[in-house]
Amino acid sequence: MPNLTIVANITANPGKTDLVKAELEKLIAITRAEDGCITYDLHQDNENPAHFMFYETWESRALWQTHMQAPHLAAYMDATEGAVAEFTLHEMTLIG
């Protein structure tokens, strides 16, 4: 089975960009150490600093699902409650 690519877009509410960024940055090292994580890169939009994007590659959907249940993601959700205006997530497969 091919690797799973995740593209997650997060937009902070006005006045909450620094909080959301700090909480997202906390996820990087711990997630990169997780079983099955190949790539976990956080990006910030140059024109709209409130927009963040994670580009992730996982060995399998099952291992990504384990990540989604991790305590550090629950902590992120608690810390950013009410601070995120929009969140979209796309599960994708590399085709070329």
Side-chain angles (χ1 to χ4, degrees):
M1 174 176 261
N3 294 334
L4 176 68
T5 301
I6 300 294
V7 177
N9 289 281
I10 305 103
T11 304
N13 279 321
K16 299 296 183 179
T17 299
D18 290 341
L19 167 70
V20 172
K21 181 178 181 178
E23 293 301 321
L24 290 171
E25 289 176 325
K26 289 178 186 179
L27 299 174
I28 297 169
I30 193 166
T31 299
R32 286 179 177 165
E34 287 182 55
D35 188 31
C37 181
I38 298 168
T39 307
Y40 194 77
D41 295 329
L42 178 62
H43 303 262
Q44 187 173 21
D45 192 299
N46 293 336
E47 307 250 336
N48 176 9
H51 176 214
F52 302 92
M53 187 267 292
F54 267 117
Y55 181 85
E56 312 171 27
T57 309
W58 293 86
E59 289 179 13
S60 70
R61 188 173 194 279
L63 290 168
W64 173 69
Q65 286 290 303
T66 299
H67 158 72
M68 292 302 289
Q69 302 304 314
H72 53 274
L73 274 189
Y76 160 79
M77 296 296 288
D78 289 342
T80 60
E81 186 173 349
V84 174
E86 184 177 6
F87 173 77
T88 60
L89 186 139
H90 301 275
E91 296 182 41
M92 306 180 88
T93 301
L94 178 67
I95 59 170

